[in-house]
């Protein structure tokens, strides 16, 4: 239930322009047909007003069910800010017929589910194997009419929501955005945080929330979307039987303007209202790390004819490395990042630009260059090359963003709810194809007027980014704590709707694997369902080879690969991909450099040729190295100012000794010490064909791809044997270890609990996965979630995981808590671990966890991007090609004795490392 999920979702699925960093445009690419998005969609409106959209997609045996309610923060009146979001949380607390956490029901079905609240809409979605379709429909219908909104539910979930909101307060970006939006829209609900404010949330009454639920969660104010592997007519019959009996209960006008009119005053939806003189910047001087800028300009609503030109304007300004603002601010060294996005909504929206200053750079100078860049766009028409690139960026982003049925359902739900027509995308893409340079220039003149601008500066009061004091404690806070009984799955089962039948276990296709003469491993899996390519790769050149003195070297090397080769400079490389709507990215992790590429299938040759060029011929220009070093220093400051980032670093460094590769993390000193010669030496040593694996999934001819790979990589050679590290064994801590790190100015603490765990090839791995599913695999359905989040309301999110790679990684539990709740949450967690250790798990829990994992796995396989990652990871980890097909059987084969042995071996409550980062008042006085 992450509000922040919304924007990343919208950037990929709706006409909501953003920083399209993985897509761009060619000089002459045929427009993407909108028919693929809406072809086969059937719209049905029930007698009670419920809109139903169905789309059969028979590419995988899965279905997605989504319910979109036309209600969001836009509809909130004064004193109710955040009530839409609060209600979204309560929708998981159960119904009169099923008084149980709905997250547990969804998890038991193997659903990949979530929800979000936005300005105009609140949406709930789940994707499952096709035989669970009716079950999902039943559950969504139940909570549309019968959700429990009582004192007990509201009290516990208020605490969770406040924890969530306080977590956002940790982010300087959030605090700056809140101040800017409030100033830009002082009399409109859009100017208030979607999640709400602590002051309003604390005052919500049961009657308030119930009235809101009755008003807006009504069939005529909702759209039900079903996509995937089903037959339309039988499913519509079920929908009519299940949802047709639900009565209208909302007000007559909720589908149009809603209660938000109280807040909006006299603003109309025809043209932005703005001051005639330029406003002074808003300046926040608060604890933080990097300096930030945000500029906001009013925009028209989503149906305005200028929207396509506005989105082209945004792509030209912020769409990838070749964009104008990236070149003006990032390539010049003024900023470490810049992004933009157009919020086109039911009412007047806005365009925003965000920038993070590079070390030592003034926000005033960034604002000046920003204004100069915008003025140039207003004064001169854009080039045909820029406009074509922007069009292809946007078109490709729609195709690549709709490869899975969940995204396709979201596309339909958003357009129907916000634009009022699921076919809106057809008109939108047709209009995009016709946008002219003059229209982009006119949009810039109309909407980027300095007199309409609201701009904010975040000036950190601790720009060195160094955390404050730290301390250690014994952690003796658990003696008298007694957790509740684990949820009985048998009790849960009586609330689960039946599945219609077992899904056919159709055989997952296996990749073809071969090795080039130089040792480069390739895995190919043809998928002709979509005209797309998904490329995943790994090079054995990860941060484990850094060492403490040069920590950050692997990352700097990976980040500089696209900065130039022997025949192309950085801008030419960027345009080569962005002109075709393709993307290629490199990022270093502990055990390797990850390669991710995507594009339309026609552009596979360009992807492969560019990949080969940078892996074989990177030149690491000195000026680009300095720019990337400055960005790395900024990112380091941000990480050390984030309780999650600092907490994870300290946690790792307590677990792993200094001589262990997992101990090293970049410091300002190590980053500054790295030279271009260091990068060249690292590149020449570790970037080798026999240390590289590539997986490609998509619509291609395998014979042609083999020829292409041989041509592109055939001359890449390596001498000698690749470097190998000897990883030392890490024992468990002798006793409970507590470390607290203080970061001034934070509202919430983040805690990590754990120790060194197991590798992926450990024979206990599958039992550990089942164990983890029971313990903390899901925030809403696990033991940790049930106790610490649901019953006690101590955290917005808590989960556990085994980070099992080629080498053993940590077993960890992570949670976010209010400072005064931290100790109780830690005590609750340790008591749960002790309970698990002493009492084990029940047979019913064990079987439910296995079903949850195996039922969810086909959903992963329904997304080609996921499949390429799974194939690659299995190969890199030394697993069989058939692992992708046999994973579910291996989970089902886990026995109860193996589970009990895993608990005995892997759960050690007395040997935990506990690291808390955040405000300084999480430890009791004298502790």
């Amino acid at each position: 239930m992450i509000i922040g999920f919304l924007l990343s979702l919208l950037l990929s699925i709706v006409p909501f322009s953003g920083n399209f960093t993985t897509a761009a445009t060619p000089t002459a690419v045929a427009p993407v047909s909108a028919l693929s998005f809406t072809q086969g969609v059937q719209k049905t409106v029930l007698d009670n007003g419920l809109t139903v959209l169905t789309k059969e997609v028979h590419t995988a045996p899965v279905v997605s069910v989504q319910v979109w309610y036309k209600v969001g923060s836009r509809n909130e009146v004064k004193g109710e800010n955040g009530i839409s979001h609060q209600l979204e949380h309560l929708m998981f607390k159960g119904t009169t017929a099923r008084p149980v956490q709905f997250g547990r029901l969804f998890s038991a079905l193997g659903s990949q589910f979530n929800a979000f609240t936005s300005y105009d809409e609140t949406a709930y979605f789940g994707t499952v194997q096709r035989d669970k379709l009716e079950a999902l429909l039943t559950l969504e219908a139940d909570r549309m009419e019968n959700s429990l909104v009582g004192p007990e539910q509201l009290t516990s979930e208020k605490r969770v929501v406040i924890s969530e909101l306080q977590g956002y307060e940790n982010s300087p970006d959030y605090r700056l955005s809140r101040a800017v939006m409030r100033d830009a829209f002082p009399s409109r609900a859009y100017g208030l945080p979607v999640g709400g404010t602590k002051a309003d949330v604390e005052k919500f009454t049961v009657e308030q929330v119930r009235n809101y639920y009755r008003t807006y969660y009504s069939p005529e104010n909702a759209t039900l979307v079903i996509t995937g592997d089903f037959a339309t007519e039988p499913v519509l019959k079920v929908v009519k039987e299940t949802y047709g009996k639900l009565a209208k209960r909302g007000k007559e006008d909720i589908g149009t303007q809603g209660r938000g009119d109280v807040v909006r005053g006299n603003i109309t939806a025809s043209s932005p209202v703005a001051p005639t003189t330029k406003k002074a910047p808003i300046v926040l001087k608060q604890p933080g790390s990097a300096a930030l800028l945000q500029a906001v300009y009013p925009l028209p609503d989503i149906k305005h004819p200028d929207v396509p030109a506005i989105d082209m304007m945004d792509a030209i300004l912020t769409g990838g490395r070749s964009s104008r603002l990236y070149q003006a601010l990032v390539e010049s060294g003024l900023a470490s990042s810049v992004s933009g996005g157009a919020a086109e909504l039911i009412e007047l929206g806005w365009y925003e630009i965000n920038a993070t200053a590079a070390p030592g750079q003034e926000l005033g100078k960034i604002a000046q260059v920003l204004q100069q860049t915008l003025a140039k766009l207003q004064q001169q028409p854009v080039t045909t090359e820029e406009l074509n690139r922007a069009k292809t960026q946007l078109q490709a982003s729609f195709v690549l963003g709709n490869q899975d049925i969940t995204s396709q359902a979201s596309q339909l739900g958003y357009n129907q709810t916000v634009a009022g027509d699921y076919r809106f995308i057809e008109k939108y893409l047709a209009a995009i194809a016709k946008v002219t340079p003059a229209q982009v220039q006119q949009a810039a003149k109309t909407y980027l007027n300095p007199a309409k601008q609201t701009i904010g500066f975040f000036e950190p009061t601790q720009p060195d980014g160094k955390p404050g004091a730290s301390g250690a404690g014994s952690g003796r806070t658990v003696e008298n704590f007694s957790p509740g009984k684990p949820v009985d799955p048998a009790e849960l089962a009586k609330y689960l709707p039946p599945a219609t039948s077992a899904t056919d276990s159709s055989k997952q296709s296996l990749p073809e694997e071969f090795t080039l003469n130089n040792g480069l491993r390739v895995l190919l899996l043809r998928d002709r369902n979509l005209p797309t390519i998904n490329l995943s790769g790994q090079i054995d050149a990860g941060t484990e080879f850094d060492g403490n003195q040069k920590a950050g070297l692997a990352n700097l090397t990976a980040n500089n690969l696209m900065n130039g080769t022997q025949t192309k400079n950085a801008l030419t490389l960027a345009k080569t991909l962005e002109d075709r709507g393709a993307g290629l990215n490199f990022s270093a992790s502990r055990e390797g450099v990850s390669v991710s590429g995507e594009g339309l299938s026609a552009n596979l040759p360009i992807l492969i040729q560019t990949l080969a060029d940078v892996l074989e011929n990177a030149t690491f220009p000195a000026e680009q190295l300095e720019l990337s070093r400055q960005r790395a220093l900024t990112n380091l400051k941000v990480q050390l100012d984030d309780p999650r980032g600092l907490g994870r670093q300290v946690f790792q460094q307590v677990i792993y000794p200094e001589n262990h590769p997992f101990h090293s993390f970049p410091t300002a000193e190590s980053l500054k010490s790295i030279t271009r010669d260091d990068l060249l030496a690292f590149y020449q040593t570790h970037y080798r064909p026999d240390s590289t694996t590539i997986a490609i999934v998509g619509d291609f001819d395998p014979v042609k791809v083999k020829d292409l790979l041989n041509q592109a990589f055939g001359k890449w050679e390596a001498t000698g044997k690749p470097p190998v590290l000897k990883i030392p064994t890490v024992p468990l801590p002798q006793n409970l270890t507590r470390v607290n790190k203080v970061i001034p100015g934070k509202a919430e603490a983040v805690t990590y609990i754990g120790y060194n765990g197991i590798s992926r090839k450990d024979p206990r791995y599958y039992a550990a996965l089942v164990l983890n599913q029971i313990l903390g695999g899901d925030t809403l359905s696990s033991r940790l979630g049930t106790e610490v989040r649901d019953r006690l309301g101590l955290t917005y999110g808590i989960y556990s995981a085994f980070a099992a790679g080629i080498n053993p990684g940590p077993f960890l539990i992570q949670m976010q808590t209010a400072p005064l709740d931290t100790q109780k949450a830690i005590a609750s967690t340790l008591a749960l671990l002790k309970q698990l250790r002493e009492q084990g798990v029940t047979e019913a829990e064990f079987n439910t966890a296995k079903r949850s994992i195996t039922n969810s796995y086909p959903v992963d396989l329904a997304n080609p991007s996921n499949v390429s990652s799974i194939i690659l990871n299995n190969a890199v980890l030394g697993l069989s090609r058939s692992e992708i097909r046999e994973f579910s059987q291996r989970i089902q084969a886990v026995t109860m004795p193996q589970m009990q042995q895993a608990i005995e071996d892997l759960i050690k409550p007395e040997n935990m490392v506990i690291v808390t980062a955040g405000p300084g008042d999480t430890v009791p006085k004298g502790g």
Side-chain angles (χ1 to χ4, degrees):
M1 294 181 286
I2 304 167
I3 301 172
F5 165 81
L6 166 79
L7 293 185
S8 61
L9 175 78
L10 297 190
L11 288 177
S12 65
I13 64 164
V14 299
F16 183 110
S17 177
N19 185 19
F20 297 100
T21 53
T22 59
T25 85
T27 49
V29 169
V32 174
S33 170
L35 288 177
S36 59
F37 301 120
T38 59
Q39 191 172 30
V41 176
Q42 183 170 325
K43 179 181 176 181
T44 307
V45 180
L46 304 189
D47 291 342
N48 58 11
L50 178 70
T51 298
V52 184
L53 301 177
T54 54
K55 180 182 180 182
E56 295 184 28
V57 185
H58 301 289
T59 55
V62 295
V63 291
S64 187
V65 172
Q66 304 189 5
V67 180
W68 290 65
Y69 294 95
K70 193 174 182 178
V71 61
S73 60
R74 174 181 73 94
N75 304 89
E76 296 166 1
V77 300
K78 188 175 181 180
E80 279 188 351
N81 182 216
I83 195 169
S84 303
H85 175 229
Q86 181 70 74
L87 179 55
E88 176 221 313
H89 276 246
L90 288 167
M91 288 285 283
F92 284 86
K93 299 295 278 187
T95 65
T96 49
R98 295 178 175 87
V100 63
Q101 166 59 254
F102 262 44
R104 288 179 219 139
L105 298 176
F106 293 136
S107 182
L109 291 172
S111 176
Q112 294 190 6
F113 67 95
N114 214 319
F116 66 79
T117 303
S118 184
Y119 303 99
D120 294 334
E121 76 276 13
T122 307
Y124 303 82
F125 49 98
T127 303
V128 292
Q129 291 187 89
R130 62 186 171 207
D131 62 302
K132 313 297 191 307
L133 172 57
E134 285 191 34
L136 272 193
L137 290 170
T138 301
L139 292 174
E140 288 296 354
D142 189 15
R143 64 176 175 174
M144 181 179 285
E145 186 169 60
N146 305 309
S147 277
L148 289 172
V149 182
E152 182 184 344
Q153 291 83 15
L154 183 58
T155 299
S156 71
E157 211 59 29
K158 267 190 190 183
R159 198 168 179 179
V160 170
V161 167
I162 289 170
S163 172
E164 179 183 355
L165 297 179
Q166 294 293 92
Y168 298 146
E169 292 289 336
N170 282 353
S171 166
D173 303 69
Y174 175 82
R175 302 200 300 270
L176 177 62
S177 179
R178 184 181 55 193
V180 169
M181 291 294 290
R182 189 181 292 151
D183 190 77
F185 304 109
S187 59
R188 295 178 57 207
Y190 283 164
L192 297 171
V194 171
T197 60
K198 182 180 178 184
D200 278 4
V201 170
E202 286 176 332
K203 294 175 188 170
F204 291 154
T205 66
V206 170
E207 184 182 11
Q208 253 185 315
V209 182
R210 275 182 184 161
N211 286 341
Y212 203 79
Y213 172 60
R214 290 180 186 130
T215 300
Y216 291 107
Y217 278 59
S218 186
E220 75 276 19
N221 199 46
T223 298
L224 170 66
V225 188
I226 310 167
T227 57
D229 192 17
F230 64 91
T232 301
E233 290 311 313
V235 165
L236 278 178
K237 184 182 178 187
V238 172
V239 167
K240 288 170 184 175
E241 291 170 354
T242 309
Y243 289 81
K245 61 189 177 187
L246 304 183
K248 286 185 182 182
R249 61 176 191 273
K251 296 178 181 177
E252 289 302 314
D253 64 347
I254 60 172
T256 53
Q257 293 197 326
R259 292 149 40 110
D261 290 329
V262 180
V263 186
R264 293 192 299 277
N266 297 320
I267 294 176
T268 67
S270 58
S271 61
V273 175
T276 54
T277 56
K278 189 175 179 181
K279 294 190 286 186
I282 298 160
V283 180
L284 297 187
K285 294 187 178 182
Q286 297 175 357
S289 51
L292 308 171
L293 174 150
Q294 182 179 43
V296 166
Y297 305 83
L299 288 183
D301 63 88
I302 192 170
K303 294 183 182 179
H304 195 282
D306 287 349
V307 161
I310 291 168
D311 288 354
M312 289 299 90
M313 175 189 79
D314 171 52
I316 287 164
L317 285 173
T318 67
R321 188 167 189 168
S322 62
S323 65
R324 292 193 177 191
L325 283 176
Y326 191 97
Q327 290 293 314
L329 295 176
V330 180
E331 292 288 0
S332 69
L334 286 173
S336 65
S337 66
V338 65
S339 61
E344 291 139 348
L345 307 170
I346 289 177
E347 298 174 15
L348 306 181
W350 62 92
Y351 182 62
E352 70 177 68
I353 298 170
N354 298 280
T356 301
Q361 298 294 337
E362 294 294 327
L363 290 171
K365 175 65 174 173
I366 293 174
Q368 181 185 352
V369 174
L370 167 64
Q371 193 54 55
Q372 290 169 354
T373 307
L374 301 185
K376 184 177 179 182
L377 188 61
Q378 294 168 330
Q379 293 157 11
Q380 301 171 16
V382 299
T383 66
T384 303
E385 178 192 1
E386 279 184 296
L387 186 58
N388 284 339
R389 182 182 305 127
K391 289 180 180 181
T392 306
Q393 270 188 303
L394 196 61
Q395 292 164 353
S397 74
F398 274 91
V399 177
L400 294 167
N402 280 278
Q403 293 186 87
D404 62 287
I405 63 163
T406 304
S407 299
Q408 292 176 42
S410 297
Q411 177 76 65
L412 296 170
Y414 181 87
N415 284 329
Q416 182 65 37
T417 305
V418 178
D421 183 1
Y422 73 89
R423 295 162 301 191
F424 175 79
I425 186 175
E426 297 175 15
K427 305 164 195 170
Y428 172 78
L429 286 176
I432 286 289
K434 296 175 184 175
V435 170
T436 66
Q439 288 174 321
V440 175
Q441 184 182 12
Q442 187 57 50
K445 284 181 179 178
T446 304
Y447 301 108
L448 299 180
N449 186 337
K452 298 179 182 179
Q453 179 194 71
T454 304
I455 191 166
F457 297 160
F458 181 88
E459 298 178 354
T461 55
Q462 286 181 293
D464 58 357
K466 290 181 179 175
S470 63
S474 63
R476 298 190 188 112
T477 56
V478 303
E479 289 83 351
N480 298 318
F481 186 82
S482 179
K485 275 188 161 185
V487 175
D488 181 4
E491 179 74 10
L492 193 68
K494 70 184 183 184
Y495 300 122
L496 273 172
T500 53
S501 63
T503 298
D504 299 334
S505 55
S506 56
K507 293 287 187 181
Q508 165 67 38
S509 298
L510 298 183
E512 177 186 359
E513 181 175 354
F514 57 92
T515 303
L516 302 188
N517 291 335
N518 57 12
L520 189 148
R521 292 174 71 194
V522 180
L523 297 108
L524 298 180
L525 183 61
R526 191 177 193 178
D527 180 351
R528 308 197 71 177
N529 289 311
L530 291 163
T532 59
I533 293 295
N534 292 275
L535 183 151
S536 299
Q538 178 152 317
I539 305 145
D540 298 340
T543 62
E544 62 185 0
F545 290 108
D546 275 358
N548 292 320
Q549 298 305 310
K550 297 289 182 181
L553 176 56
N555 251 309
L556 274 181
T557 305
N559 292 340
N560 275 271
L561 289 172
M562 294 291 289
N563 282 339
T565 66
Q566 292 168 12
T567 56
K568 294 184 175 74
N569 63 20
L571 184 56
T572 304
L573 282 170
K575 286 182 177 179
T576 298
L577 296 171
E578 292 174 3
D579 279 354
R580 293 162 176 83
L584 185 61
N585 296 289
F586 301 87
S587 62
S589 59
R590 282 289 164 199
E591 296 185 330
V593 170
S594 296
V595 184
S596 61
E598 62 177 3
L600 303 181
S601 51
N603 297 317
L604 179 57
I606 291 293
L607 263 180
I608 290 177
Q609 288 157 10
T610 304
L611 175 61
D613 193 18
V614 298
L615 291 185
E616 298 176 48
N617 305 309
T619 52
F620 304 100
E623 70 278 7
Q624 289 289 348
L625 170 58
E626 289 312 309
L627 290 174
S628 62
R629 188 198 314 275
Q630 295 304 308
R631 290 194 288 270
L633 288 166
T634 301
N635 291 338
L636 176 63
K637 289 180 181 180
V638 172
Q639 179 187 341
L640 295 178
D641 185 55
D642 183 346
R644 292 167 301 178
L646 178 64
R648 182 61 188 266
Q649 175 174 327
V650 173
F651 176 70
Q652 292 256 148
Q653 291 184 324
V654 173
I655 292 174
Y656 299 105
E658 278 195 34
N659 66 335
H660 197 286
F662 291 5
H663 180 92
S664 68
F665 281 82
T667 64
E669 293 71 28
S670 71
L671 287 171
K672 290 174 182 176
S673 75
I674 295 169
T675 65
R676 179 172 179 272
D677 286 343
D678 291 329
L679 261 69
L680 284 167
F682 191 88
Y683 177 67
Q684 289 159 3
T685 302
H686 298 286
Y687 283 72
R688 312 163 47 105
D690 53 356
S691 297
T692 302
T693 306
I694 297 170
I696 306 174
V697 174
D699 185 13
F700 55 77
D701 180 336
V703 175
K704 291 181 180 178
V705 172
K706 287 178 189 176
D707 288 342
L708 188 60
L709 290 166
N710 277 307
Q711 290 170 21
F713 291 101
K715 295 179 181 177
W716 190 21
E717 297 292 344
T719 57
K721 292 186 177 180
V724 177
L725 277 177
K726 184 171 174 58
I727 307 288
T729 303
V730 178
L732 291 180
Q734 293 296 306
N735 44 41
L736 206 65
T737 304
R738 284 296 312 268
V739 178
N740 300 290
K741 286 287 183 180
V742 177
I743 311 179
K746 300 304 172 188
E748 288 276 288
V750 174
T751 298
Y752 291 88
I753 302 175
Y755 35 60
N756 190 40
I758 59 175
S759 71
R760 175 60 176 85
K761 293 187 82 172
D762 190 297
R764 299 167 294 186
Y765 175 75
Y766 299 99
L769 273 190
V770 179
L771 165 60
N772 187 71
Q773 180 69 20
I774 295 168
L775 175 63
D778 182 277
T779 287
L780 295 184
S781 64
S782 63
R783 282 196 184 186
L784 287 170
T786 298
E787 183 70 21
V788 184
R789 184 197 191 279
D790 232 29
R791 190 172 79 86
L792 299 174
L794 297 175
T795 178
Y796 166 59
I798 183 168
Y799 70 89
S800 62
F802 286 90
I806 298 169
N807 301 293
F811 161 71
L812 74 159
I813 297 167
Q814 180 187 336
M815 64 179 124
Q816 169 189 303
T817 52
L820 296 179
D821 288 337
T822 301
Q823 293 308 308
K824 187 173 183 183
I826 291 171
S828 305
T829 300
L830 293 177
L832 276 168
L833 291 170
K834 188 176 180 184
Q835 180 190 67
L836 178 62
R837 171 84 185 184
E838 292 173 351
Q839 300 176 19
V841 301
T842 67
E843 192 83 38
E845 259 187 316
F846 174 64
N847 290 328
T848 299
K850 290 202 293 185
R851 278 197 302 273
S852 179
I853 295 170
T854 56
N855 286 344
S856 177
Y857 187 60
V859 179
D860 289 327
L861 299 181
N863 186 332
S865 179
N866 289 345
V867 172
S868 72
S869 297
I870 292 169
I871 288 171
L872 174 79
N873 290 335
N874 288 344
V876 169
L877 291 163
L879 304 172
S880 160
R881 275 189 311 134
S882 60
E883 174 68 19
I884 190 170
R885 180 184 287 171
E886 296 169 358
F887 172 79
S888 292
Q889 292 98 293
R890 296 187 197 280
I891 291 292
Q892 289 291 5
V894 174
T895 64
M896 184 60 97
Q898 288 173 329
M899 165 63 65
Q900 302 296 6
Q901 189 63 49
I903 293 171
E904 187 175 330
D905 293 347
L906 304 175
I907 302 299
K908 308 279 188 182
E910 296 80 18
N911 304 97
M912 293 285 176
V913 168
I914 305 172
V915 173
T916 298
D921 49 358
T922 59
V923 180
K925 300 294 183 186

